[in-house]
Amino acid sequence: MRITDVANLYHVSTHAICFYEKKGLINIPRDARGHRQFGNDTLKKLEVIVHYRKVNMPIEDIKKILTHAHDHDLSSQLLNKLKVNICLLYTSDAADD
């Protein structure tokens, strides 16, 4: 599977995938010619990243979740922080109207 195929599969740009790779969120192995090799583990991790980015979770928080994948308390804490930020944003927008 090529990077464009993966990008289309997850509805993200190839640039976004490269960005996640540069930020250390995913490590995509390459073949002898330098082409990325998307295995099942990489695709599952990318799916998680895309999901969290859709709800505007910061990259650093996603990195923490991926690093501590079995720490459900951490995931809950970061999601709650995100919920609070969203509520504050909506409250601020409502006050401006």
Side-chain angles (χ1 to χ4, degrees):
M1 194 177 284
R2 297 180 337 218
I3 190 169
T4 53
D5 299 325
V6 174
N8 289 334
L9 179 66
Y10 291 108
H11 307 287
V12 296
S13 67
T14 57
H15 174 76
I17 295 171
C18 293
F19 176 76
Y20 301 147
E21 190 176 22
K22 286 178 186 175
K23 288 294 186 177
L25 295 175
I26 51 175
N27 181 22
I28 307 169
R30 296 177 188 251
D31 65 14
R33 297 187 330 188
H35 297 134
R36 290 172 179 87
Q37 299 294 301
F38 291 91
N40 287 335
D41 290 342
T42 303
L43 292 174
K44 287 177 188 175
K45 192 177 271 192
L46 184 58
E47 185 176 8
V48 169
I49 294 165
V50 169
H51 169 75
Y52 284 128
R53 287 302 298 146
K54 282 183 180 177
V55 295
N56 292 321
M57 182 173 279
I59 295 293
E60 288 305 313
D61 288 352
I62 297 171
K63 188 181 277 190
K64 288 176 190 174
I65 288 172
L66 293 174
T67 303
H68 306 285
H70 299 291
D71 187 347
H72 298 292
D73 289 336
L74 175 64
S75 297
S76 295
Q77 178 186 6
L78 293 172
L79 286 170
N80 284 333
K81 179 178 122 182
L82 184 61
K83 286 178 189 176
V84 168
N85 288 340
I86 290 170
C87 287
L88 289 173
L89 183 65
Y90 281 120
T91 304
S92 175
D93 284 348
D96 291 342
D97 289 341

